[in-house]
Amino acid sequence: MSGEILVIDDSDSVRRLVTSALRLAGYQTVEAPDGQIGLDKARSKMPSAVITDQNMPNLDGIGFIRAFRQLPGSAGVPVIFLSTENADTLKHKAREAGAIGWMTKPFDDRKLMSVVQKVLGR
Amino acid sequence: MTDETEELFQIEARQLAESLEAGLLDMKSRPDDKALIDSVFRDLHTLKGTGAMFGQTELAQFLHNFETAFEAVRDGQFPVTPVLINLGLRARDHAVSLLEGGPPDAGAPLLAELDALVTGAVPADTDAPADWRLTFRLAPDCLVLGTRPHTLLDELREMGASDIEPLLDRLPDLPDLRPDLLHIGWRMVLPGSRTEEEIREVFVFNETELVFDLSRATEDPTPHVKETAPSPQGGSAAPERAMMRVPAERLDEMMDRVGELVIAEARLSELVAQAGNPQLVAVAEEIQRLATGMRETTMSIRMTPIGSITGRFRRLIHDLNTTLGKQIEFETDGEDTKLDKTVIEMLADPLMHLIRNAADHGLEAAPDRRAMGKPDTGTIRLAARYSGAEVVITLSDDGRGLDPDRIRARAEARGLIAPDADMDVAKIQALILEPGFSTADTVTELSGRGVGMDVVKRTMEQLRASIDIESEPGHGTQIHMRLPLTLAIIDGLLVEIAGERYTIPLLAVEHIIELPEDHAAHDDGTRFLNIRDQLVPFLRMRDLLDSSGPPAPFQKVIVVTAGELRVGLTVDRIIGSSQTVIKQLSPLHSGLKIFSGATILGDGSVALILDVPQLVAFGQSRESMEAA
């Protein structure tokens, strides 16, 4: 697939973990430490997919997804939602905001890739 | 899982169990009906699948094994026999018991029995499980969110999906086509070696928006209709009707709220009438219209077909066939006649009792029937039909009928009537409804414990229903029950008697006349009025309600009916008709025979609702006392 995957997480280590796994699998990535910066990056260049954490300063994951879905060109761009708790209500909220898949922390490379591949195709 | 989904599961599981039971019973008369066998199989399967989803592992496991054994039947390798149906019914009962948290012990012997039965005919089916047939549709807006249907299809293909067909029936007309919405569904066959879990896993991110129909394909698949693209003119298939299951208590709550709304609306109307502001009047009228509409819609939602309870009667008859050693046919008519849910529920037990009675006492054994020139098989028939705003349910049998002499003798022996009481046949037959009356010489397991018939009578009273018995010795019995369509809100006629207000159910009102002058003053001993050349007994309600003071100058007589009988009620004034929300009287007041409930009026005061069947019975009994 062409384009970049935008990875948003306030934890440097998690962000690094995710991006390196994606790069190893041949994807290009771009990073953001919170939802607000993520939104700015998406505005300047629409990514081909987004993976976002929930709990972040400035703008949380669900807030990001809502704003992101308002951006022109975001239609058809899948968003994967990361959360620590496996709470159905949160998943539901993320889905309503416009996420398409979710992943519960902790996850390993294999799990990450299976979700990414499920969403983006191979 | 929330309590609500758990509740929903329980409702759904029960419906499936009921449908399973009905299907098995139908198989008796249609053992070769392939579609019927398939539908039984489908119920089994759905119940298993849902049970598994809701952590009912015992249930799922049991049904799975049962289903496996049953496959020989579905595949036509083993015929549908009465033994098999019995086993099926017992298995269904076991499943229900598991649902209710019962012990799983009874399952294994049942399965062993079934296994022995079917494998006695054919070797056990050890072949690979049949293929899956999968249909799915994604939420129309999924494309916008980045779902790529082709990745799902790729994944399914990797799992071995074949015969993939798009479903184009929901494509809108071209002018309405929106490129961002997905209207296509897919249907395919998946290898039976895949587990249901594996298949569901593919849709893990699409669960909430999936119309998921996963069922094992049959040997003889339903005809594979090739999808064709709809013409540019559009819509090929009618959209499916969306249905929703709602717990019954929600409907009760809703009815209560509508009841409150109707009362509040009445108060509003009254206040508005005093205020005399035309704008306010317009709004109040609008609200009245909406409240009436709301009431009608809610009532119609609560209407349930009688057929919803006939399933258990068929099962009862099936079981009775065995227990009593009689051949009994059960017929129904008008199963789609609808009554309020509460009425239907309250009706189930009395009907069950009456049917038991008919089978046990009413129908003769085959040799006796033959001697009477009747067919060996006795018939019990349950028929329902609308009659005005009532429903008439008739339960009839072609048995020996009620013997008035025997009933009379028993009633006298029990002290229910005086030995010299002058009674016509109908009145004597009605005695079987009295508490403590039982015609059976021996008490059987099924009926005739001396309780029961009076329960029937009491329930009918609670339902404000009338019950008539018609019977000709040797030719069977007919029991007619006339029931109001609903118990919650009725149209009432508001009247005034001695300064107090009362409500009379409008349905019962036949007509209203002015009380002739010559009877008006006070109780002159006259008890009958000549109404259209018929003598109708009438009750001076003022006297009945023990009120003093002079009656109003122009009293009215309201002629009310219950069943075939009529009685006139004198009232001081007619106020008008109103929607009446029925509130039950507290148990403390339930001894007040002439009132069936109370209602709250627009000004917040309470009016008692006159119990018409009781009043009619009272008026008629006084008439017969006098005639005696």
Side-chain angles (χ1 to χ4, degrees):
Chain A
M1 71 172 302
S2 59
E4 297 160 331
I5 300 182
L6 172 58
V7 180
I8 314 173
D9 198 313
D10 56 340
S11 153
D12 291 346
S13 58
V14 173
R15 213 166 58 231
R16 194 62 45 84
L17 205 73
V18 172
T19 50
S20 57
L22 290 172
R23 283 198 189 127
L24 260 173
Y27 294 102
Q28 292 185 333
T29 57
V30 54
E31 299 174 39
D34 67 43
Q36 194 52 58
I37 297 173
L39 206 54
D40 293 341
K41 299 232 167 167
R43 206 172 275 131
S44 62
K45 188 180 180 200
M46 187 50 68
S48 57
V50 182
I51 298 176
T52 178
D53 186 28
Q54 162 59 3
N55 289 315
M56 294 179 296
N58 300 328
L59 185 62
D60 69 10
I62 290 186
F64 164 81
I65 301 171
R66 287 206 183 102
F68 176 73
R69 285 291 173 216
Q70 303 300 316
L71 295 184
S74 74
V77 177
V79 177
I80 299 170
F81 180 71
L82 301 181
S83 67
T84 321
E85 63 262 72
N86 187 12
D88 281 344
T89 43
L90 194 60
K91 270 184 210 166
H92 189 72
K93 266 172 110 173
R95 169 66 183 79
E96 268 184 356
I100 174 191
W102 64 85
M103 236 185 315
T104 311
K105 291 182 196 172
F107 51 83
D108 56 19
D109 290 6
R110 224 160 36 89
K111 170 88 181 153
L112 172 69
M113 288 325 295
S114 90
V115 169
V116 168
Q117 280 174 359
K118 191 180 263 305
V119 170
L120 302 179
R122 264 143 250 209
Chain B
M1 185 189 325
T2 62
D3 286 355
E4 210 167 308
T5 31
E6 171 69 27
E7 206 176 315
L8 209 59
F9 160 67
Q10 287 287 347
I11 294 173
E12 195 179 296
R14 246 147 260 270
Q15 282 175 352
L16 282 167
E18 245 170 66
S19 148
L20 184 60
E21 183 175 50
L24 283 164
L25 289 167
D26 282 341
M27 276 162 77
K28 262 205 310 191
S29 52
R30 287 145 54 202
D32 300 321
D33 189 335
K34 188 89 179 65
L36 183 61
I37 296 172
D38 284 346
S39 111
V40 165
F41 209 80
R42 220 163 24 243
D43 287 338
L44 259 179
H45 187 85
T46 314
L47 191 54
K48 173 183 97 174
T50 327
M53 289 283 297
F54 282 81
Q56 296 261 359
T57 39
E58 290 283 0
L59 177 73
Q61 192 56 46
F62 171 72
L63 289 174
H64 177 74
N65 292 334
F66 188 77
E67 193 184 7
T68 312
F70 216 78
E71 260 163 15
V73 179
R74 188 197 57 190
D75 300 347
Q77 294 161 8
F78 188 83
V80 173
T81 62
V83 181
L84 178 87
I85 291 170
N86 257 324
L87 213 48
L89 287 168
R90 279 164 57 207
R92 174 262 174 207
D93 292 349
H94 179 61
V96 171
S97 133
L98 285 175
L99 263 175
E100 286 160 356
D105 323 340
L110 267 175
L111 290 171
E113 225 177 303
L114 181 66
D115 229 28
L117 182 69
V118 293
T119 51
V122 290
D125 185 8
T126 50
D127 292 348
D131 288 344
W132 295 99
R133 199 166 289 279
L134 168 73
T135 306
F136 72 90
R137 292 177 196 271
L138 301 169
D141 68 342
C142 73
L143 296 177
V144 182
L145 300 183
T147 294
R148 286 146 208 217
H150 71 90
T151 67
L152 292 176
L153 291 173
D154 284 347
E155 215 172 320
L156 290 163
R157 258 188 219 107
E158 271 174 33
M159 293 177 70
S162 59
D163 297 346
I164 303 179
E165 283 176 66
L167 304 175
L168 304 175
D169 54 313
R170 296 200 188 155
L171 272 181
D173 291 356
L174 275 181
D176 301 329
L177 191 66
R178 280 177 50 187
D180 53 343
L181 295 184
L182 178 69
H183 301 286
I184 311 171
W186 283 272
R187 178 160 62 195
M188 63 193 66
V189 175
L190 282 160
S193 53
R194 296 288 179 181
T195 65
E196 186 170 339
E197 215 182 343
E198 278 179 292
I199 301 171
R200 288 194 183 272
E201 174 66 25
V202 174
F203 299 97
V204 62
F205 292 142
N206 302 88
E207 246 165 2
T208 50
E209 59 236 40
L210 202 60
V211 179
F212 200 69
D213 171 27
L214 195 58
S215 56
R216 292 264 175 185
T218 59
E219 287 266 305
D220 170 27
T222 42
H224 232 64
V225 184
K226 204 79 187 150
E227 293 286 340
T228 49
S231 66
Q233 257 16 34
S236 53
E240 283 160 37
R241 269 176 86 183
M243 299 292 261
M244 242 178 105
R245 287 210 181 100
V246 180
E249 301 85 68
R250 292 288 140 73
L251 291 183
D252 291 342
E253 274 170 37
M254 191 162 160
M255 197 68 230
D256 284 348
R257 302 236 159 104
V258 170
E260 301 297 326
L261 176 69
V262 168
I263 292 169
E265 183 276 315
R267 288 177 54 193
L268 177 69
S269 294
E270 189 146 326
L271 291 174
V272 165
Q274 288 164 14
N277 176 337
Q279 273 175 312
L280 219 48
V281 169
V283 176
E285 276 170 2
E286 177 75 5
I287 288 174
Q288 184 179 29
R289 200 177 55 75
L290 292 171
T292 308
M294 186 78 196
R295 171 197 138 182
E296 275 160 16
T297 310
T298 310
M299 304 264 256
S300 73
I301 294 173
R302 290 170 54 91
M303 289 305 200
T304 313
I306 302 246
S308 65
I309 51 168
T310 49
R312 59 184 96 161
F313 302 147
R314 293 167 65 212
R315 175 66 188 272
L316 175 73
I317 297 281
H318 172 87
D319 293 347
L320 286 178
N321 269 325
T322 328
T323 335
L324 294 174
K326 292 178 184 172
Q327 295 163 36
I328 309 167
E329 187 82 41
F330 183 58
E331 287 178 2
T332 54
D333 189 25
E335 278 192 273
D336 50 359
T337 309
K338 288 179 177 173
L339 273 166
D340 189 277
K341 179 180 79 65
T342 321
V343 180
I344 294 260
E345 278 162 12
M346 286 177 71
L347 207 54
D349 280 345
L351 281 178
M352 193 81 117
H353 188 83
L354 291 172
I355 290 173
R356 244 189 231 135
N357 257 337
D360 198 7
H361 306 317
L363 295 180
E364 312 91 333
D368 296 347
R369 292 182 63 85
R370 235 169 287 150
M372 293 279 297
K374 294 182 191 176
D376 281 9
T377 304
T379 304
I380 295 177
R381 191 181 147 81
L382 183 72
R385 65 183 169 85
Y386 294 106
S387 162
E390 288 181 322
V391 164
V392 181
I393 297 179
T394 302
L395 183 74
S396 48
D397 66 68
D398 63 349
R400 58 171 68 95
L402 296 171
D403 180 348
D405 296 337
R406 238 175 108 212
I407 294 172
R408 189 176 181 123
R410 166 141 324 217
E412 282 174 14
R414 300 257 155 145
L416 294 175
I417 52 166
D420 55 350
D422 179 29
M423 296 175 84
D424 60 22
V425 174
K427 288 230 166 70
I428 291 172
Q429 285 169 341
L431 286 171
I432 64 163
L433 297 171
E434 292 304 315
F437 187 93
S438 168
T439 47
D441 290 329
T442 52
V443 170
T444 67
E445 184 201 342
L446 294 162
S447 53
R449 285 174 208 278
V451 291
M453 281 307 252
D454 58 317
V455 173
V456 173
K457 189 181 177 189
R458 205 160 49 228
T459 310
M460 290 300 149
E461 279 169 3
Q462 280 168 6
L463 286 170
R464 301 200 317 278
S466 63
I467 178 164
D468 295 311
I469 300 175
E470 226 181 288
S471 178
E472 198 184 326
H475 294 280
T477 306
Q478 291 193 312
I479 300 176
H480 305 281
M481 287 151 276
R482 303 177 77 93
L483 296 131
L485 283 174
T486 182
L487 290 179
I489 303 186
I490 55 165
D491 284 314
L493 183 68
L494 200 60
V495 300
E496 192 180 294
I497 304 166
E500 294 289 334
R501 285 181 286 180
Y502 300 90
T503 295
I504 300 171
L506 203 56
L507 286 173
V509 175
E510 196 178 88
H511 52 255
I512 301 172
I513 57 168
E514 198 137 303
L515 184 67
E517 279 293 325
D518 42 331
H519 302 317
H522 225 291
D523 192 350
D524 56 356
T526 313
R527 304 238 189 251
F528 295 93
L529 283 174
N530 188 334
I531 298 174
R532 293 179 192 161
D533 291 333
Q534 270 196 310
L535 281 181
V536 175
F538 76 98
L539 298 171
R540 292 174 189 277
M541 293 306 289
R542 289 183 67 89
D543 299 345
L544 208 59
L545 298 168
D546 279 336
S547 50
S548 50
F554 301 104
Q555 289 191 80
K556 307 283 185 296
V557 179
I558 298 174
V559 179
V560 292
T561 60
E564 309 300 321
L565 302 173
R566 299 195 292 176
V567 75
L569 309 174
T570 62
V571 304
D572 291 340
R573 197 161 74 88
I574 288 163
I575 300 167
S577 67
S578 68
Q579 283 188 42
T580 303
V581 180
I582 300 173
K583 302 277 176 193
Q584 294 303 320
L585 291 175
S586 72
L588 205 64
H589 298 101
S590 58
L592 295 172
K593 281 279 184 186
I594 62 169
F595 304 117
S596 60
T599 186
I600 298 166
L601 300 176
D603 61 2
S605 65
V606 172
L608 290 164
I609 302 168
L610 295 178
D611 189 333
V612 170
Q614 287 285 354
L615 286 167
V616 169
F618 181 68
Q620 292 285 338
S621 70
R622 215 169 55 166
E623 175 196 6
S624 58
M625 263 165 13
E626 251 151 56

